[in-house]
Amino acid sequence: MKLRYMKLQRIILLIMGFGFLTLGTNAQECGTEHTAEFMARLTKNVKYANENASARKVVEKRNVPLKFHLLATNEGNGRIPDHLVYTQLCRLNTQYDSMGFVFYVDDGFNYVNNTGIYDHIGSAQNQMGGIRAQYPNSVNVFITNATSSAGVAGYYSPFFDMLVVQKLNFDEVDNSTFGHELGHLLSLAHPHVGWEDDPYD
């Protein structure tokens, strides 16, 4: 089951719930770009949700498979420990519980020893895209040492349909980056879209 093709009546609930997921990840820390295609998908989903408001009254549980790709150097150094992934998975399920999503690890972790991907250099994103293609029925989450831009905690790539989260941010006790980026996968935009260049007052 492809997540993006799930019934879209839950989107309005996600929009209401996305506020608490954005508190820990500000615009400078999130590398997700709101392309025209991204915003068109959001508009379509909101329209569908508004036209099918009666379907939102009952929140049914929906299981969502996550495939975690745990990156390390070529020598196998630096990989995030498995137990931290489970900790953040529990946190994610708490964040999305009221919206009916139950996330689970799909068939164990994928351990990848590749310094280029681990440090997100060169063709790292294309290589991750190739790995992601092997797991088309899961939400693909790459835990890396670095992301493509300095200061970016994570991002969702619509082109490759995958999440990339920096392990430093994934390891935080009050982590909100993971849930925030997952919201982008569900076509939720930053609440400040259109206001990026206006100072907060």
Side-chain angles (χ1 to χ4, degrees):
M1 157 180 70
K2 290 289 287 177
L3 184 61
R4 74 172 103 192
Y5 298 118
M6 292 167 53
K7 292 182 181 178
L8 299 176
Q9 65 256 31
R10 305 287 184 253
I11 296 301
I12 217 58
L13 290 172
L14 289 169
I15 291 170
M16 291 185 297
F18 196 52
F20 73 89
L21 295 174
T22 63
L23 295 177
T25 304
N26 63 36
Q28 287 78 22
E29 294 174 333
C30 178
T32 300
E33 294 183 23
H34 297 342
T35 62
E37 293 83 8
F38 181 98
M39 296 307 291
R41 189 171 98 191
L42 171 59
T43 301
K44 179 181 174 185
N45 290 343
V46 170
K47 180 181 177 193
Y48 179 89
N50 288 333
E51 291 172 353
N52 295 278
S54 62
R56 295 194 316 268
K57 292 182 181 175
V58 177
V59 177
E60 299 172 5
K61 295 296 181 188
R62 188 175 305 272
N63 295 320
V64 181
L66 301 179
K67 189 63 179 182
F68 288 94
H69 307 280
L70 308 184
L71 276 296
T73 64
N74 291 341
E75 296 76 27
N77 299 321
R79 189 181 335 273
I80 194 166
D82 294 2
H83 74 274
L84 291 178
V85 178
Y86 288 116
T87 298
Q88 294 306 331
L89 181 62
C90 290
R91 182 176 175 82
L92 183 72
N93 278 317
T94 299
Q95 289 173 323
Y96 280 89
D97 180 62
S98 64
M99 295 165 246
F101 291 111
V102 178
F103 300 96
Y104 67 93
V105 175
D106 185 14
D107 195 27
F109 299 130
N110 182 27
Y111 302 99
V112 180
N113 294 347
N114 184 313
T115 301
I117 301 175
Y118 178 73
D119 287 329
H120 209 296
I121 55 177
S123 62
Q125 194 173 52
N126 287 333
Q127 291 178 57
M128 285 186 280
I131 294 169
R132 177 250 171 262
Q134 299 172 40
Y135 305 94
N137 297 321
S138 298
V139 175
N140 285 259
V141 183
F142 290 82
I143 310 299
T144 62
N145 184 48
T147 56
S148 58
S149 302
V152 173
Y155 66 90
Y156 165 63
S157 168
F159 182 78
F160 289 110
D161 195 23
M162 65 186 184
L163 304 177
V164 180
V165 181
Q166 187 178 30
K167 73 174 186 175
L168 176 67
N169 296 95
F170 196 83
D171 191 9
E172 293 174 343
V173 174
D174 60 347
N175 181 300
S176 62
T177 302
F178 184 29
H180 177 99
E181 299 308 334
L182 190 67
H184 289 314
L185 178 135
L186 296 168
S187 80
L188 297 178
H190 285 293
H192 60 265
V193 166
W195 297 85
E196 294 91 345
D197 298 325
D198 292 332
Y200 177 78
D201 60 14

